[in-house]
Every structure is written in structure tokens, then in C-alpha cells.
Amino acid sequence: MAEIAYLTASEMLAAFRAGSLSPVEATSAVLARIAEADPSVNAFCLVTADEALDAARASEERWRRGEPLGLLDGVPVSVKDVLLTRGHPTLRGSRTIAPDGPWPDDSPAVARVREHGGVIVGKTTTPELGWKGVTDNPLTGVTRNPWDTSRTPGGSSGGASAAVALGMAPLALGTDGGGSVRIPAGFTGVFAHKPTYGRVPHFPASPFGTLAHVGPIAWSVADAELLLEVISGPDSRDWSALPPSVPAAPVDVRGLRIAFSPTLGYAPVDAEVAAAVEKAAAVFTDLGARVEQADPGFADPVEAFHVLWFAGAARSVESLTPARRELLDPGLREISEQGARHSALDYLTATACRMELGRLMGAFHEDYDLLLTPTLPIPAFEAGREVPPDWPSPRWTSWTPFTYPFNMTQQPAASVPCGFTSAGLPVGLQVVGPRHADARVLAACRAFEQARPWHDRRPGAGDSSQ
């Protein structure tokens, strides 16, 4: 059973076509893996076993007839619990949301997964309302890193990344407003892609506005590309969504102009992380790209990001009574109060900073096809904390300097595993492209994956040595 659960989505689909594996067998194996591994990491807040098996039986019948429904027919998929899922509560890790039904709607990404025959096995944990870069909340508690369960998996899609790492569904839907698929991918050694804003329709609109993206998390680049193709389907509920994409021509890494920025010009980086990322950047030279060290040339935009993010937090809780606010994560309550004090002028000034950052990165990408950075400057730290012990700042943005700038600019950015620390903790390489260049980012990650495969190393819950 465990061997089946660890198959990638692409491997499962190939086995379905060959008749050597059925969707029921695959779903049963994944559900068994959830029962076995999830108590150690707390990645799922809801497991929909009966519904998943019903969907798998329907898929099996379609495969028997030679009429698969779509690109994912029979493949198990998890859904982050900030995305609406028909028939089940979307509680967003909050005690302020009533679970009463009927919950009639799917978010666009979830709807596309169903249309393509994906089997939804459950919903994964998130910090309350997705507000921070680690995963714990007042409703479901602390989610843990599968490589070392004393540590955080990151967030806010921490449950999704832990599930993929442990074989508890090969595909996961996550969201990313300041790094929330890339941060946990970096900490848990899986692949994640934040698409160009609008590439994946989103509904209802995030209170954090156009910082928020929906993106895939998977064990391989090919699996993430498959899920991205599915969830990029049109949905009229998102007025800001991009038109359906035309399949891109194959991208050859040879000859690409790639900038490697070890610090973005301002971020201190752990020595082991820096060494792993530098070695990873050198792989692209071996692949035939022209790699040179270069910083984009902007100062840390964290203050502007805070105005935008904290205002979004205030928007997300504005309807709560004072008594209901007392149920919130204290950190969320603090930033929402701060966000409520910002004026319209503050918000527009932060937006102007964002627009200038986008202009600067547009000019930078006239010279460079891609930008490489660490995904994170540090390895995973103690679970249940917003920041590491004795950290100089109380906010999660102080240790995620490489991720949130590219939510502000709406560029595609991926995190690909590139090594381990001496303690056995994963290190991620971030690959950033100009807006709309998702295919280029994914092609570069695929080439790196083939040159430096990580698939032969899986975590064992509670054992960082594996």
C-alpha cells in the first residue's frame, strides 16, 4: 500500500492506462497512508474517505470503458482549507467560522479538479485565514514537518506540503499570498509553483487582494505542470483571470540568461543554505545556461508589503464582533488592528511602491530570462512559533525575504528542492521568471530536477535522518 501511495500522479495515470493499477487501489492506498502518517504531522483537518472512494469507483468504471473524464481521472488530490469545497466546511483554521452547511460551491480550482476526474481525499491545514508563513491555528493546532516533527513545515500551505512529502496524495492545491506554497515547499522538500497572477482563477476574491495566487504542490515538476494545466481553466467568477493559456513552445535551458542573487542584496542567509543554493545555481551552467551573479537592485519592500498584507487581514475580520475577535490567533488579531489603522493614502503609497518594484523587475528581465535565489534564508525551525527562538523580529516576513516581493510583482516563482542541511533538513531553490513566463520557469525547474533528482529520498515522520 505504501508503495502505491508514493507514486506520482503521472505514474498513477500511466498505471491506470496500462490496467496495472485501479483508481480504487490508488485512493485506498493514499487513505491508508493518511491514517498511518497524519497523526505525526497533523496535515489534514478533514478526510473525506467515503466520498473519495465513491469518486474512485466512478473513475474506475470510466477507465474500464476506456473513457477517462480528463487529465486527472482517478488521481488523489488534497485541497487547502481556504478553498471552497462543495459539501464540506471551509473553516480556514478559524473558530470564528460556523461549520453549518450547506456549502454549495467549489472554488474554481476545486471545480476544475472535479471536472478532470480528480479524487479529493480531504482538506489540509492552514494558519488562521492563511495569515502567516507557518501552519498552526486555534482550531486544529500545530502542523509539523515530516523531516523532523519538532519543526514547522512552513506555511501557509503547510498541511498541503507535508501531505505531498509523506505520500498522503500526490497532488495538492495551495494558495500563496506572500510565499505560501513556496515557503512550505522549501521547508519540506517538495516542488511548488506560484503562477503569474490571474493564471489560475480564484473565487471568492481573497481579502488580501491581488497578492493572493492559487498554485500546485507536488513531488515532481511534471505533476505540478499537470495540475496547473487543469486549474488554469476559465471561470467567469474571477473577473481578473487571464485568458486561457495557449500551450507554450518547449523551452531549452541552454542559452538562457540567468541571474543568481544569493541575498537579493539585503538578506542574510544561513551558511548551509547558501552553500546548497550556490551549488544548485552552478547546475544551470552545466546545463548550458549563462549564469552570472546579479541582484535586481531593489531595497527590501517589507514595509510596503506589511501595509498591503495587514490591511488585508483587517478586511478579513472586519465583520467580527469584539467577542468573536477574542477567538482569533493573537498574531492575526494584532496585525488586523494595525491594518485597520492604515489610511487610503497609506495603501496607495504601498501600491505605488509595488508598481515601481514591478517596473524595476520588468527592466531586470530584459537582461535576464530567469532569477535564482534561495527560497528561504534558514532551515525549518521549531513548530508552533511564528519566528525562530531569539529572532530579532516578531513577524514571519522577517525570515521570508525572498518570497513576498514576487507576490507584489505578480511574477511566476517556483521552489525546487536543491539539497539538505547537515541535520537532514531540506533546502529550496527559488526560480523566478517575468510575468506570464510560467512555462520558462517550469522548464528550468524540470531541467534541474532531471540533473539533480530528489525523488529517491522521502521523509519518515519524526525521523530527520531518512
Side-chain angles (χ1 to χ4, degrees):
M1 277 288 195
E3 292 179 359
I4 295 174
Y6 279 134
L7 294 175
T8 67
S10 301
E11 290 168 338
M12 285 184 181
L13 288 165
F16 296 162
R17 292 188 195 98
S20 58
L21 178 70
S22 75
V24 171
E25 290 171 327
T27 299
S28 297
V30 164
L31 292 171
R33 184 65 182 143
I34 294 171
E36 174 188 30
D38 194 52
S40 295
V41 294
N42 188 33
F44 281 85
C45 55
L46 174 69
V47 178
T48 56
D50 291 342
E51 181 180 308
L53 287 170
D54 286 344
R57 292 185 191 101
S59 172
E60 189 165 315
E61 176 60 23
R62 291 191 293 271
W63 280 104
R64 188 192 64 78
R65 298 195 309 264
E67 299 173 351
L69 184 60
L71 297 177
L72 296 180
D73 206 351
V75 176
V77 182
S78 71
V79 176
K80 182 179 178 181
D81 193 36
V82 298
L83 297 172
L84 292 178
T85 306
R86 187 181 68 241
H88 298 288
T90 298
L91 301 181
R92 301 177 173 87
S94 183
R95 294 183 293 171
T96 69
I97 298 174
D100 305 343
W103 300 98
D105 298 318
D106 280 329
S107 72
V110 175
R112 301 295 87 74
V113 166
R114 290 196 204 270
E115 289 169 4
H116 281 262
V119 175
I120 295 171
V121 294
K123 306 201 75 175
T124 54
T125 54
T126 174
E128 189 166 21
L129 309 185
W131 81 271
K132 59 184 175 180
V134 294
T135 302
D136 57 74
N137 65 62
L139 184 64
T140 60
V142 177
T143 297
R144 299 180 178 276
N145 193 311
W147 295 92
D148 179 345
T149 55
S150 71
R151 300 177 187 255
T152 180
S156 62
S157 305
S161 64
V164 169
L166 284 171
M168 297 189 291
L171 300 176
L173 292 176
T175 61
D176 189 316
S180 292
V181 298
R182 291 161 289 152
I183 294 166
F187 274 173
T188 63
V190 299
F191 179 77
H193 180 65
K194 177 188 76 67
T196 300
Y197 181 81
R199 174 52 54 218
V200 179
H202 195 9
F203 176 86
S206 170
F208 297 99
T210 58
L211 294 170
H213 305 55
V214 178
I217 301 174
W219 189 248
S220 73
V221 179
D223 277 9
E225 290 177 298
L226 177 65
L227 183 54
L228 180 61
E229 182 177 355
V230 167
I231 63 179
S232 295
D235 195 295
S236 62
R237 293 174 291 176
D238 184 353
W239 64 269
S240 66
L242 296 172
S245 59
V246 176
V251 177
D252 191 342
V253 175
R254 289 175 298 178
L256 287 183
R257 304 161 301 166
I258 298 180
F260 169 45
S261 179
T263 68
L264 282 183
Y266 55 78
V269 179
D270 172 86
E272 286 191 288
V273 171
V277 173
E278 184 174 0
K279 288 180 181 177
V283 171
F284 287 93
T285 300
D286 298 337
L287 291 169
R290 303 201 305 271
V291 181
E292 61 181 82
Q293 190 164 316
D295 296 328
F298 58 80
D300 187 353
V302 67
E303 294 305 325
F305 179 78
H306 279 172
V307 171
L308 301 170
W309 193 252
F310 295 178
R315 175 75 176 86
S316 69
V317 302
E318 67 174 347
S319 64
L320 297 180
T321 65
R324 300 295 286 175
R325 286 174 184 261
E326 290 301 313
L327 300 175
L328 293 171
D329 179 325
L332 174 57
R333 187 166 62 246
E334 181 179 332
I335 70 162
S336 65
E337 290 170 353
Q338 186 174 339
R341 294 193 293 270
H342 288 312
S343 67
L345 181 59
D346 294 332
Y347 196 89
L348 289 173
T349 300
T351 299
C353 173
R354 181 183 188 181
M355 294 172 72
E356 174 59 17
L357 188 61
R359 184 202 65 79
L360 190 153
M361 286 306 302
F364 182 79
H365 282 294
E366 290 182 358
D367 296 324
Y368 297 103
D369 298 302
L370 295 171
L371 168 66
L372 307 179
T373 77
T375 302
L376 295 156
I378 57 174
F381 54 88
E382 182 182 338
R385 304 179 57 97
E386 185 180 345
V387 299
D390 303 318
W391 197 250
S393 170
R395 291 280 82 93
W396 63 272
T397 44
S398 60
W399 54 266
T400 60
F402 297 105
T403 55
Y404 56 76
F406 305 109
N407 291 80
M408 297 175 74
T409 61
Q410 302 187 342
Q411 294 172 244
S415 179
V416 59
C418 71
F420 292 85
T421 68
S422 57
L425 297 171
V427 176
L429 171 72
Q430 181 173 231
V431 182
V432 183
R435 290 180 76 240
H436 311 297
D438 295 81
R440 188 186 308 165
V441 170
L442 290 163
C445 292
R446 194 183 328 112
F448 179 82
E449 174 186 48
Q450 292 168 356
R452 289 274 298 273
W454 64 85
H455 308 98
D456 59 346
R457 189 170 183 180
R458 286 271 191 175
D463 183 359
S464 63
S465 68
Q466 295 190 21

